[in-house]
Coordinates of all heavy atoms in Angstrom, one line a residue:
V1 N 57.2 -36.3 -18.3 CA 56.2 -35.3 -18.4 C 56.0 -35.2 -20.0 O 56.9 -35.1 -20.7 CB 56.7 -33.9 -18.1 CG1 55.7 -32.8 -18.4 CG2 57.0 -33.9 -16.5
P2 N 54.7 -35.4 -20.3 CA 54.5 -35.5 -21.7 C 54.8 -34.2 -22.6 O 54.7 -33.0 -21.9 CB 53.1 -35.9 -22.0 CG 52.4 -35.3 -20.6 CD 53.6 -35.4 -19.5
D3 N 55.1 -34.2 -23.8 CA 55.2 -33.0 -24.6 C 54.0 -32.3 -24.8 O 52.9 -33.0 -24.9 CB 55.8 -33.7 -26.0 CG 56.2 -32.4 -26.9 OD1 56.3 -31.2 -26.4 OD2 56.5 -32.7 -28.1
V4 N 54.1 -31.0 -24.8 CA 52.8 -30.1 -25.0 C 52.1 -30.5 -26.3 O 50.9 -30.1 -26.3 CB 53.1 -28.6 -24.7 CG1 53.6 -28.4 -23.3 CG2 54.2 -28.2 -25.7
C5 N 52.8 -30.9 -27.3 CA 52.1 -31.1 -28.5 C 51.5 -32.4 -28.7 O 50.8 -32.8 -29.5 CB 53.2 -31.0 -29.7 SG 53.8 -29.3 -29.9
D6 N 51.8 -33.4 -27.6 CA 51.3 -34.7 -27.6 C 49.8 -34.5 -27.3 O 49.4 -33.7 -26.4 CB 51.9 -35.5 -26.5 CG 51.7 -37.0 -26.6 OD1 51.2 -37.3 -27.7 OD2 52.0 -37.7 -25.6
P7 N 48.9 -35.4 -27.9 CA 47.5 -35.3 -27.7 C 47.2 -36.0 -26.3 O 46.2 -36.8 -26.3 CB 46.7 -36.0 -28.8 CG 47.9 -36.8 -29.3 CD 49.2 -36.2 -29.0
V8 N 47.8 -35.7 -25.3 CA 47.5 -36.2 -24.0 C 47.3 -35.0 -23.0 O 48.1 -34.1 -23.1 CB 48.7 -37.1 -23.5 CG1 48.5 -37.6 -22.1 CG2 48.9 -38.3 -24.5
V9 N 46.3 -35.0 -22.3 CA 46.1 -33.9 -21.3 C 46.1 -34.4 -20.0 O 45.9 -35.6 -19.5 CB 44.7 -33.3 -21.7 CG1 44.8 -32.6 -23.1 CG2 43.6 -34.2 -21.6
W10 N 46.4 -33.4 -19.0 CA 46.4 -33.7 -17.7 C 44.9 -33.5 -17.1 O 44.3 -32.5 -17.5 CB 47.4 -32.9 -16.9 CG 48.7 -33.1 -17.1 CD1 49.6 -32.5 -18.1 CD2 49.6 -34.0 -16.5 NE1 50.9 -33.0 -18.2 CE2 50.8 -33.9 -17.1 CE3 49.4 -35.0 -15.5 CZ2 51.9 -34.7 -16.6 CZ3 50.4 -35.7 -15.0 CH2 51.8 -35.7 -15.7
R11 N 44.5 -34.5 -16.4 CA 43.3 -34.3 -15.8 C 43.3 -34.7 -14.3 O 43.9 -35.6 -13.9 CB 42.2 -35.3 -16.5 CG 40.8 -35.1 -16.0 CD 39.9 -36.1 -16.8 NE 40.3 -37.4 -16.4 CZ 39.6 -38.2 -15.6 NH1 38.5 -37.8 -15.1 NH2 39.9 -39.5 -15.4
Q12 N 42.7 -33.8 -13.6 CA 42.7 -34.1 -12.1 C 41.3 -34.8 -11.8 O 40.3 -34.3 -12.1 CB 42.8 -32.8 -11.3 CG 44.1 -32.2 -11.4 CD 44.3 -31.0 -10.5 OE1 43.3 -30.6 -9.9 NE2 45.6 -30.7 -10.2
A13 N 41.5 -35.8 -11.1 CA 40.3 -36.6 -10.7 C 39.8 -35.9 -9.4 O 40.5 -35.2 -8.7 CB 40.5 -38.0 -10.5
L14 N 38.6 -36.2 -9.0 CA 38.2 -35.6 -7.8 C 38.7 -36.0 -6.5 O 38.9 -35.3 -5.6 CB 36.6 -35.8 -7.7 CG 35.7 -35.2 -8.7 CD1 34.2 -35.7 -8.6 CD2 35.8 -33.7 -8.6
D15 N 39.3 -37.2 -6.7 CA 40.1 -37.7 -5.4 C 41.5 -37.2 -5.3 O 42.2 -37.6 -4.4 CB 40.1 -39.3 -5.4 CG 40.8 -39.9 -6.6 OD1 41.3 -39.0 -7.4 OD2 40.9 -41.1 -6.7
G16 N 41.8 -36.3 -6.2 CA 43.3 -35.6 -6.1 C 44.4 -36.3 -6.8 O 45.5 -36.0 -6.8
R17 N 44.1 -37.5 -7.5 CA 45.2 -38.2 -8.2 C 45.2 -37.5 -9.6 O 44.2 -37.0 -10.2 CB 44.7 -39.5 -8.4 CG 44.8 -40.4 -7.1 CD 44.6 -41.9 -7.4 NE 43.2 -42.0 -7.8 CZ 42.7 -42.8 -8.8 NH1 43.7 -43.4 -9.6 NH2 41.5 -42.9 -9.3
T18 N 46.4 -37.5 -10.2 CA 46.6 -37.1 -11.6 C 46.8 -38.2 -12.5 O 47.6 -39.0 -12.0 CB 47.9 -36.1 -11.6 OG1 47.6 -35.1 -10.7 CG2 48.0 -35.6 -12.9
E19 N 46.3 -38.3 -13.5 CA 46.5 -39.5 -14.5 C 46.4 -38.9 -15.8 O 46.0 -37.8 -16.2 CB 45.4 -40.5 -14.3 CG 43.9 -39.9 -14.5 CD 42.8 -41.0 -14.3 OE1 42.8 -41.4 -13.2 OE2 42.1 -41.3 -15.3
L20 N 47.2 -39.7 -16.8 CA 47.2 -39.2 -18.2 C 46.0 -39.8 -18.8 O 45.7 -41.1 -18.7 CB 48.5 -39.7 -18.8 CG 49.8 -39.0 -18.3 CD1 51.0 -39.8 -18.8 CD2 49.7 -37.6 -18.6
E21 N 45.4 -39.0 -19.6 CA 44.3 -39.5 -20.4 C 44.4 -39.0 -21.9 O 44.3 -37.9 -22.0 CB 43.0 -39.1 -19.8 CG 41.7 -39.5 -20.6 CD 40.4 -38.8 -20.0 OE1 40.1 -39.3 -18.7 OE2 39.8 -38.0 -20.6
P22 N 44.3 -39.9 -22.8 CA 44.5 -39.5 -24.2 C 43.1 -38.8 -24.6 O 42.1 -39.2 -24.3 CB 44.8 -40.8 -25.1 CG 44.4 -41.9 -24.1 CD 44.4 -41.3 -22.7
T23 N 43.3 -37.8 -25.4 CA 42.1 -37.1 -25.9 C 41.8 -37.7 -27.4 O 42.5 -38.5 -27.8 CB 42.3 -35.7 -26.2 OG1 43.3 -35.5 -27.2 CG2 42.7 -35.0 -24.7
A24 N 40.5 -37.3 -27.7 CA 40.2 -37.7 -29.2 C 41.2 -37.2 -30.0 O 42.0 -36.3 -29.9 CB 38.8 -37.1 -29.4
H25 N 41.4 -37.9 -31.3 CA 42.4 -37.5 -32.2 C 42.3 -36.2 -32.7 O 41.3 -35.8 -33.2 CB 42.3 -38.6 -33.5 CG 43.3 -38.2 -34.5 ND1 44.5 -38.4 -34.5 CD2 42.9 -37.7 -35.8 CE1 45.2 -37.9 -35.6 NE2 44.2 -37.6 -36.4

């Protein structure tokens, strides 16, 4: 599980999968 301070957010895709996606700096 990523650290909450890490610039990575959880995003749910419409198909129900969860993937990590880096945000802008």
Side-chain angles (χ1 to χ4, degrees):
V1 177
D3 187 12
V4 289
C5 296
D6 195 16
V8 176
V9 294
W10 291 93
R11 184 179 66 106
Q12 291 189 344
L14 291 176
D15 61 359
R17 289 180 298 130
T18 304
E19 59 185 58
L20 295 174
E21 180 180 289
T23 61
H25 174 70

